[in-house]
Amino acid sequence: MAAAPPSGKVVYEQEGVFIHSSCGKNDDQDSLIAGILRVIEKENEVVVDWRPLDETLDTSNILCAGKDSSSVVEWTQTPKEKCSRGADRPSSYEAEWDMVTTVSFKKKPHSNGDATTHANRESKWSFLFSLTDLKSIKQNKKGMGWSYLVFCLKDDVKLPALHFHHGDSKPLIKCLEKHIALNESPHDERVLLVKTQKSLSQSFENLFDEPSYGLLQKWKRDPYVVTMGKFSKVTNYIVGSLRSSDQANQRRPPSEMADFLNDAIPGLKINQQEEPGFEVITRINLGKQPEVSRREPVSAEEWAKNMDSEGRILDVDYIKRLIFKGGLCHTLRKEAWKFLLGYFPWNSTKEERANLQKRKTDEYFRMKLQWKSVSEEQEKRNSRLRDYRSLIEKDVNRTDRTNKFYEGEDNPGLILLHDILMTYCMYDFDLGYVQGMSDLLSPVLYVMENEVDAFWCFVSYMDQMHQNFEEQMQGMKTQLIQLSHLLRLLDSGFCSYLESQDSGYLYFCFRWLLIRFKREFSFQDILRLWEVMWTELPCQNFHLLLCCAILESEKQQIMDKHYGFNEILKHINELSMKIDVEYILCKAEAISMQMMNCKELPQTVSEILGIENSSVTPDSDTGEDESAAELSCPSSLYQSISTPVIAANGTGDSASQAAETQSLTPA
């Protein structure tokens, strides 16, 4: 009979894992102790657990180390504890987990004639240890009978060999590599050494002192997890692994740094100059950036005036331009976002939208029922669903918890966030859940305040963002390449400087692009930024121009202070929550107008921005250029609206600009 399922999330489970208690007597069945091997996640701890296939296992034989001691001690329960917990295996397991920090294996000596000695031999072989205490793993050579491995802990305690009679140990190794870095020993190919030195419970936010190798491996293994864990805060994560100690003051070729990113994103090819400082493309004069202004958010009155008696939007292009120039007042977002995200067709009537919502409500709850009705036994046999659930629960518990909508324990907003993400796994099981999706859903749910509407708006948003989260990361690859093209056209000198500092591949923009600046702006500012981007004005890929606007705003400080690789990384990360959203929107719009007005715009850039060739050919006259600018910023938006002008070129009095921006931002 199988041992009771442990508390926590089981990320790996394998039956038929035996301990051979009597070496050389494999024909003696009494010397084979069958058990279950599990890898379990609980909070910030990852634990490896092996126990015999016997529900009567007495937890008093589990040996564990105290929190402040490396010595092996025995956990013995009082008779009262045994009596109260003996009948309840899950509670007993929970109790032992709460007490265990590290566990080492040690045989409990038998007491001669002691009536309390357990006849159950297997119980004396149970062990449990944290991955933070693992030193190495020894495997047998290929083709040498059953697959087996031996865990060696940091206190040099070797646990008994585990023999995999059913299957092999490769899935276990693969599972462990998601949490620790393993490398083959240079002295023995059978031994895998654990390279990660820090506790796995430590947050990526505090990894300033992590050995560069470990974090480099984490980045290559899972760029999403590392990036979403504020990977960009680490200032020395890769320098040590790419620069040897005797060449501390010498730069490595930029191509090596590009190769590093290419390992994580296969197929990424960003231009790296052979000799930093020499231009390899002809300079194009884009001219000066125009000054643009922002207007007040679209009001409920303006929205209502643009709707007929049946609820149709009269002039879609006009309302999109209004939203692009000023965003929406908050009371309108719940309705307008459904149009912007494609949940509601722009030409639909009020009645058609009500019928659509009814159908979508039924469809949503049918999908929700699919995962809600999965039993624990079924989930044990569905590792993907189990993994999705585990990751969702982790992310939900740390998403926007300072926002009143999600703060506190047992918050209904958190429950909805969890349920929508689980239902999305049913909607798109191949993609499932990838870290970062909770960041995209959170503002949508906050605005909608409705589970079904939030789900379908999120589905529409994920249709746009899908490639960012796919295994091959095609979306991230494409965007980094496109951003490189745009930035080089905008300021080739700045690009050359970045390349000279091993930063030309713009990897520090990874998080910006992955979740559309969600962690760079305040919660209220991201609502404004997203609704502006969803208008798809003034060109496609406007979010790339927002990246350019931020980088151009910071280039002077980066270059004047001669920031190197580490300083650039640190500086860009510290911009989080300090960027003025209205100013950056103005600057990005000015850049778009600057490029649209260029008579020699490269074909590649035209395609990235989705600009018709006729509007960017060298033969275009001044009138045509002005028309292109008007498409970007229609003069009708400024008629009868008096708003302060925010200088998009970064000049002017900063105090007055801040005051102007404050006046444009709704309370």
Side-chain angles (χ1 to χ4, degrees), residues 566-615:
N566 293 335
E567 292 80 13
I568 294 171
L569 175 62
K570 186 173 185 290
H571 178 73
I572 293 297
N573 178 75
E574 290 177 349
L575 294 176
S576 180
M577 301 301 160
K578 299 177 183 177
I579 307 172
D580 187 323
V581 68
E582 296 290 343
Y583 173 73
I584 289 301
L585 282 169
C586 280
K587 191 167 184 64
E589 183 183 355
I591 292 172
S592 72
M593 295 170 66
Q594 186 183 24
M595 291 187 174
M596 288 176 176
N597 290 338
C598 178
K599 296 180 179 181
E600 301 175 329
L601 198 66
Q603 182 65 27
T604 302
V605 174
S606 300
E607 292 173 356
I608 292 171
L609 300 181
I611 302 172
E612 294 294 333
N613 291 335
S614 59
S615 65

Side-chain angles (χ1 to χ4, degrees), residues 294-304 313 318-341 346 447-448 524-535 582 585 664-667:
R294 302 273 302 157
R295 53 154 283 164
E296 294 298 318
V298 178
S299 66
E301 292 75 18
E302 286 176 303
W303 180 266
I313 304 295
Y318 173 71
I319 204 71
K320 280 186 177 181
R321 290 197 296 269
L322 292 182
I323 296 170
F324 173 75
K325 291 301 296 181
L328 294 156
C329 66
H330 189 70
T331 55
L332 270 180
R333 284 177 172 141
K334 188 179 293 188
E335 182 177 4
W337 277 26
K338 295 169 188 173
F339 290 94
L340 288 170
L341 284 167
W346 284 98
V447 167
M448 294 298 143
Q524 291 302 318
D525 282 352
I526 208 65
L527 304 182
R528 170 77 69 245
L529 188 73
W530 281 5
E531 64 199 13
V532 168
M533 289 193 295
W534 291 337
T535 65
E582 296 290 343
L585 282 169
L664 292 173
T665 307

Side-chain angles (χ1 to χ4, degrees), residues 213-382:
Y213 178 85
L215 197 56
L216 170 61
Q217 291 302 106
K218 289 186 178 77
W219 166 255
K220 288 184 177 181
R221 189 165 60 243
D222 198 338
Y224 294 118
V225 174
V226 178
T227 298
M228 298 311 299
K230 298 204 174 181
F231 162 81
S232 56
K233 290 182 71 172
V234 186
T235 59
N236 292 294
Y237 77 100
I238 190 177
V239 176
S241 60
L242 293 183
R243 300 176 182 174
S244 58
S245 58
D246 59 336
Q247 295 178 321
N249 298 320
Q250 298 182 25
R251 286 192 298 270
R252 301 283 291 191
S255 59
E256 283 196 27
M257 305 299 287
D259 288 344
F260 151 69
L261 192 60
N262 190 58
D263 287 341
I265 308 181
L268 177 66
K269 295 189 182 300
I270 292 179
N271 180 40
Q272 296 287 334
Q273 296 180 31
E274 291 296 324
E275 293 291 335
F278 291 88
E279 299 304 292
V280 295
I281 61 172
T282 305
R283 287 183 180 273
I284 296 175
N285 184 10
L286 290 175
K288 292 183 178 180
Q289 287 180 13
E291 290 187 351
V292 299
S293 63
R294 302 273 302 157
R295 53 154 283 164
E296 294 298 318
V298 178
S299 66
E301 292 75 18
E302 286 176 303
W303 180 266
K305 284 180 181 179
N306 199 45
M307 190 173 286
D308 67 15
S309 59
E310 292 185 321
R312 292 187 186 88
I313 304 295
L314 294 172
D315 190 337
V316 176
D317 291 337
Y318 173 71
I319 204 71
K320 280 186 177 181
R321 290 197 296 269
L322 292 182
I323 296 170
F324 173 75
K325 291 301 296 181
L328 294 156
C329 66
H330 189 70
T331 55
L332 270 180
R333 284 177 172 141
K334 188 179 293 188
E335 182 177 4
W337 277 26
K338 295 169 188 173
F339 290 94
L340 288 170
L341 284 167
Y343 176 34
F344 285 171
W346 284 98
N347 62 349
S348 61
T349 64
K350 189 174 183 179
E351 183 181 357
E352 288 169 343
R353 294 193 290 272
N355 291 332
L356 175 66
Q357 282 183 299
K358 288 180 182 178
R359 295 196 306 272
K360 291 297 187 181
T361 298
D362 291 341
E363 188 177 349
Y364 172 78
F365 283 108
R366 281 198 301 271
M367 288 186 290
K368 183 174 181 178
L369 185 61
Q370 289 176 356
W371 66 267
K372 277 282 191 180
S373 61
V374 173
S375 68
E376 290 185 10
E377 288 299 318
Q378 286 177 304
E379 191 165 316
K380 285 180 183 178
R381 295 184 289 274
N382 191 330

Side-chain angles (χ1 to χ4, degrees), residues 151-213:
F151 292 115
C152 181
L153 306 183
K154 289 180 180 178
D155 54 5
D156 288 328
V157 170
K158 288 186 178 180
L159 302 182
L162 297 178
H163 297 255
F164 292 74
H165 289 203
H166 304 155
D168 58 36
S169 59
K170 289 180 181 178
L172 171 64
I173 298 298
K174 188 175 181 180
C175 174
L176 296 180
E177 285 181 328
K178 294 179 180 178
H179 305 283
I180 53 175
L182 295 172
N183 276 285
E184 188 177 289
S185 167
H187 307 296
D188 189 341
E189 63 180 11
R190 298 173 298 172
V191 176
L192 296 175
L193 301 175
V194 178
K195 302 298 284 188
T196 302
Q197 302 298 320
K198 291 288 181 180
S199 170
L200 292 178
S201 63
Q202 183 184 30
S203 168
F204 279 115
E205 297 180 16
N206 301 317
L207 282 176
F208 283 98
D209 299 322
E210 168 121 4
S212 58
Y213 178 85

Side-chain angles (χ1 to χ4, degrees), residues 467-533:
Q467 283 193 317
N468 281 16
F469 296 96
E470 292 170 1
E471 186 175 358
Q472 297 302 315
M473 288 181 282
Q474 181 60 43
M476 297 305 300
K477 176 177 68 175
T478 300
Q479 289 173 94
L480 285 169
I481 294 170
Q482 290 175 335
L483 179 57
S484 178
H485 283 299
L486 294 174
L487 193 62
R488 182 166 296 282
L489 173 67
L490 192 64
D491 195 327
S492 58
F494 183 44
C495 280
S496 296
Y497 178 83
L498 291 176
E499 288 174 3
S500 72
Q501 303 303 321
D502 295 343
S503 300
Y505 43 85
L506 309 176
Y507 79 94
F508 44 75
C509 298
F510 191 96
R511 188 175 66 188
W512 297 1
L513 300 171
L514 179 66
I515 52 173
R516 289 293 194 270
F517 309 99
K518 168 61 168 56
R519 299 197 183 181
E520 317 313 317
F521 292 89
S522 69
F523 196 88
Q524 291 302 318
D525 282 352
I526 208 65
L527 304 182
R528 170 77 69 245
L529 188 73
W530 281 5
E531 64 199 13
V532 168
M533 289 193 295

Side-chain angles (χ1 to χ4, degrees), residues 22-173:
S22 300
C23 296
K25 297 182 180 180
N26 289 336
D27 56 334
D28 181 1
Q29 292 303 308
D30 289 338
S31 68
L32 301 182
I33 305 172
I36 297 179
L37 182 66
R38 297 184 179 101
V39 178
I40 313 155
E41 291 180 354
K42 182 174 174 64
E43 297 178 352
N44 294 321
E45 184 102 36
V46 181
V47 174
V48 176
D49 173 274
W50 184 91
R51 58 185 52 215
L53 291 170
D54 191 335
E55 284 190 332
T56 63
L57 172 64
D58 191 322
T59 53
S60 64
N61 287 306
I62 297 291
L63 308 180
C64 57
K67 291 184 178 180
D68 299 319
S69 172
S70 60
S71 61
V72 177
V73 297
E74 295 180 2
W75 172 30
T76 58
Q77 296 173 300
T78 63
K80 182 178 180 181
E81 285 176 328
K82 289 183 179 181
C83 181
S84 62
R85 293 177 181 173
D88 188 354
R89 290 293 301 131
S91 297
S92 179
Y93 193 96
E94 180 70 27
E96 75 184 355
W97 192 306
D98 291 342
M99 296 182 65
V100 170
T101 320
T102 60
V103 178
S104 296
F105 174 85
K106 188 172 98 175
K107 269 190 172 183
K108 185 176 180 179
H110 290 261
S111 300
N112 294 328
D114 188 348
T116 62
T117 301
H118 300 285
N120 184 342
R121 296 180 59 195
E122 285 87 338
S123 64
K124 298 172 178 56
W125 294 89
S126 300
F127 62 79
L128 178 80
F129 67 88
S130 170
L131 280 188
T132 57
D133 297 300
L134 182 60
K135 180 179 180 181
S136 65
I137 304 173
K138 185 175 181 179
Q139 306 174 96
N140 63 327
K141 292 182 179 180
K142 296 179 181 179
M144 298 289 289
W146 283 311
S147 172
Y148 75 83
L149 52 80
V150 178
F151 292 115
C152 181
L153 306 183
K154 289 180 180 178
D155 54 5
D156 288 328
V157 170
K158 288 186 178 180
L159 302 182
L162 297 178
H163 297 255
F164 292 74
H165 289 203
H166 304 155
D168 58 36
S169 59
K170 289 180 181 178
L172 171 64
I173 298 298

